[in-house]
Amino acid sequence: MQDTQTNTRADEDRYQLKTYAKWPLSLERGEGCYVFDSEGNRFLDLYGGHAVVVTGHCHPRIVRAIQEQAAQFIFYSNVVYNSVRSRAVRKLIECAGPPYYQVFLANSGSESNENAIKLARAITGRTEVISLEGSFHGRTYGSLSATGISKYSAYLNTPVPGHRIIAPQDAAAAVSDKTAALLVEPIQSLGGINVIPGHVLSEMSRACSEQGALLIFDEVQVGIGRTGRFLYSGINDVYPDIVTLAKGIASGFPASAMLVTEPVAAEVKSGDLGTTFGGGPLACACIEATLDFLQDEDVLGNVRRVSAYLKEALERLEIVEEVRGVGLLLGLRFSGPWASAKSVQKALMAKGVLTGTSDDPSILRLMPPLIIREEDIEGFIQILGAL
Ligand SMILES: Cc1ncc(COP(=O)(O)O)c(C=O)c1O
């Protein structure tokens, strides 16, 4: 077994471009909130495979949906109608609720953000796109130009013209009649779990309405139930014109979505947007199965319950200096010798718990599957308390 792991690492290191700082793990299996390496060691996955596996790893309902759809029809493009696609888009809009009216399906968070930016520029006839310091929107040209973490955006060399990165509290005032869109990640996850206050979101929304700019929420990470609401949109009565989703939308199968209101939808005509793979039958089967599961199992209720339990338990620990975030998207700051999140991450990994770091070196991120239970968390609290 040791040899298998060694070969796996050696081959990935040799043949895959070295763009990822990898953990020293070779994970081969997942079940619920747990993942297993090739030697059978078990890890509690509080990283959620990068905030993706909302229904847990390999839930039988998702596995069955993939198997059945794969046996029936893996792919055909949007040039034809297809029953599973029709059910997935209907369900997505029903889960989102008003004012969301129609959806464009794509493949990744970056691609959805790219389409949202493009749409806002086309509809308004303007080029300025304002986004916030501390936000992350993806790795494609437009989404990276909107990203407010310089560690990532510096690689661009020359950002797409028209992009401006502004501090969250100053963004509303920066919106003008030249602004096409204000793109907001309402809880800046990679930035270190910075929750943009509701009143700041309200000011942004008001400024966009007054100036005829579109408000876009990047809910790639916060959407699909992670905060205990299906969408973060609606918080403080702020309903953006466009919402982008990805990560958990298909339980790990690559898929993303851009939700738009009716006035925005009315501006879109045939040929304006497109993608080969977005909305393929297999992706749609995963979207449908994920959304059905969230509803049938009251997963949003579970997020709210477990989040309250987790926050309370964490706040009782001496080692924890601060807990921030909403639902199951939490950031932890530690005291004394554990001030570096990386050191905590490493110590937890050695004891069988996977967590994420962030762009803020002092913040450790928890973004577990949304099906996690109190009993899964108890062991983690004990381990953390004993560090
Ligand atoms: C908030 C947010 N937006 C966009 C993206 C980019 O998504 P993707 O990696 O699927 O392109 C991410 C990815 O981590 C994200 O967290």
Side-chain angles (χ1 to χ4, degrees), residues 50 108-111 113 136-139 185 218 220-221 246-247:
H50 204 129
S108 68
S110 304
E111 192 186 359
N113 285 333
F136 180 79
H137 297 296
R139 303 287 197 144
E185 184 189 4
D218 174 341
V220 164
Q221 209 157 131
K247 297 282 191 201

Side-chain angles (χ1 to χ4, degrees), residues 367-383:
M367 36 209 188
L370 306 186
I371 56 158
I372 196 163
R373 300 276 171 192
E374 283 89 340
E375 49 269 34
D376 298 310
I377 280 165
E378 273 165 22
F380 160 63
I381 295 294
Q382 275 169 18
I383 291 169

Side-chain angles (χ1 to χ4, degrees), residues 238-268:
V238 172
Y239 291 92
D241 305 281
I242 303 178
V243 172
T244 58
L245 298 166
K247 297 282 191 201
I249 191 171
S251 293
F253 193 88
S256 68
M258 175 178 69
L259 308 177
V260 303
T261 59
E262 194 168 359
V264 173
E267 300 283 339
V268 182

